[in-house]
Amino acid sequence: MNKLALSDEILMTIDKPARYIGNETNMVVKDTKAVDIRFCMCFPDVYEIGMSHLGIQILYDMFNRREDTYCERVYSPWPDLDKIMREKHIPLFALESQEPIKNFDFLGITLQYEMCYTNVLQILDLSGIPLLAKDRTEDDPFVLGGGPCVYNPEPLADFFDFFYIGEGETVYNQLLDIYKEHKAKGGSRKEYLEKIAEIEGIYVPSFYDVHYKEDGTIESFTKINSHAKEKIKKQVEMKLENTYYPKKPLVPYIRATQDRVVLEIQRGCIRGCRFCQAGMVYRPVRERSMDFLKEYATEMLKATGHEEISLSSLSSSDFSGLQELVYFLIEECNKQKVNISLPSLRIDAFALDVMNKVQDVRKSSLTFAPEAGTQRLRDVINKGLTEESILNGAMQAFNGGWNRVKLYFMLGLPTETEDDIEGIAVLSDRIAREYYTIPKDQRNGKVGITASTSFFVPKPFTPFQWSRMDTAEEYLNKQHFLRSKFNEQLNKKSIKYNWHEAELSVLEGVFARGDRKVAAALMAAYKEGCLFDSWTEFFDNKKWVKAFADTNIDINFYTSRERDEEEVLPWDFIDAGVTKKFLLREYKNAKEEKITPNCKLSCTNCGAMEFGGGICFLPRTEEVNA
Ligand code: SF4
């Protein structure tokens, strides 16, 4: 075992020292002197969250299969250790070798949500890597970003040397091969960036210049280096059976947020919900083969000792082999006493049968995500879920012994009216009323309904990328109005209402659709002490408000402003597959309350066909569950 970077004295004083000592089951050990490339993979949040992330596990496995590369990991030090590291000038280190990240060739940061951006600055700062890419020298690692937030990387453009837009399996090997050659020849930092800027999917922000109009919108976005591409085209892996997938995932010593084997069954989603970025940018749908899934499920359970396996997908019910896979897993898991978790499953007879077999009905609750309270608004967002199917699903479940239901909604969706907001309370009450139609002697106690609302945040590459977002005040008013409507319902005592922080959603909105200018506010907020902003106990809105005021950046410009169709959007230089024409058509359909069929029923020509595979080339079917 390597000498630990933190002394025993420090480890004894901080919370959960296991976050920083590495050496977990299935951790890769290599001789750091015998490799050509040292890569540090970072998830900018606390260890328990980062360790639950599938993407890092896939890339960790893929990179470490290369003999010339050692891929290690780092997560955000919790505030207790952050303070000690700053006081004692301890450089941030990777878990495997316990050596400073500053000595690595690459620091790869996955950007999963906007509110981890101050943690990105913390990672750079504690590592001793200049925050701004332009200040880095030949001795600094290359800082690269990937993950869903790179579909608008502009708020972070100043802090990264390059971004990769697409699925990790496609170009990383090429990046490393070029780097190895480049390092052997002794080329400069700029030369390497110029070489990789020619690879599809790689975006080097310093090779582009942005000019703004007087009104603050973008005038032009131009490349200023001949090696850079005009458009950065998202890269996808079309043959999922040939991709890397860890048979021996890392198993932490302390409980991770997702403490289970994760089996990714497919990528993409056929549904086309108009608010959902993942459903748009991960198109087209590609399924993994049954043989692959059965083999990997068995091997991973063996290699980890986990007591639960979870199927990962944006919409598991749409996976064509779901029944075969789930019944196989039930048999396998029964042998090994392993639990199966099936998130994102639409409630129907099959789902209830499976849940009956794998869960304790009395303990588990059902989850529905109607997102909107009325059919009108569900049509606006193209949710494809009718009230009838929700009530039917709930009733089948109640008859099967369930009595707890979780409901997820959004407030602030485009075109929302007071009726739509009230509809959330009415729908929750209707579900409770359904329950009480069951004769008393056949009921399983009282019904319990938990309705939660989050605030709608418009995201790039969705049909709502042009739409305005509510202000924090508007959100709060809607929340109060809804609360009063819950109080008017017959079954109000059976319904619990939970809601999200409005200010946090507003900031998420700024960074989701922000341009390069918002980096100044991010930097100022970090200097004010903002960190772990997605954690309610650390989020300090006053500091953020001050940061925006000090840097003269108007929050409302980014959030509560409807964009014109002609406006140059900060992420327009990215080709994510779905075309602007399709997104505009969908935005218009939304305003006209017209629904668009899912990809299994009919192809609406979104643009993802250009990737040459997946659902786009399969025959259409008539029947798809609502
Ligand atoms: S091209 Fe058609 S089938 Fe393919 S993802 Fe787009 S809408 Fe769906």
Side-chain angles (χ1 to χ4, degrees), residues 215-218 458 464-471 513 515 554-564 567-570 587:
D215 66 3
T217 59
I218 296 173
F464 294 148
Q465 64 178 3
W466 293 275
S467 89
R468 82 177 286 279
M469 177 180 166
D470 283 345
T471 61
R513 293 190 295 169
D515 51 26
D554 177 14
I555 290 180
N556 290 336
F557 174 80
Y558 295 97
T559 53
S560 44
R561 182 174 66 86
E562 169 97 15
R563 272 68 163 168
D564 190 85
E567 183 174 330
V568 178
L569 302 171
Y587 192 29

Side-chain angles (χ1 to χ4, degrees), residues 269-271 279-280 282-285 577-578 582 585 596-600 602-610 613-618 620:
C269 180
I270 59 166
R271 297 278 157 183
M280 294 291 159
Y282 298 141
R283 285 176 175 221
V285 168
V578 285
F582 167 78
R585 193 167 74 218
T596 298
N598 67 58
C599 298
K600 275 196 181 166
S602 113
C603 170
T604 40
N605 201 11
C606 72
M609 205 176 260
E610 66 167 333
I615 183 87
C616 317
F617 293 85
L618 295 178
R620 306 294 128 195

Side-chain angles (χ1 to χ4, degrees), residues 170-186:
T170 48
V171 307
Y172 277 127
N173 274 325
Q174 206 180 338
L175 276 182
L176 298 183
D177 289 342
I178 295 175
Y179 181 73
K180 195 170 151 187
E181 203 189 309
H182 159 87
K183 195 175 172 186
K185 281 191 190 151

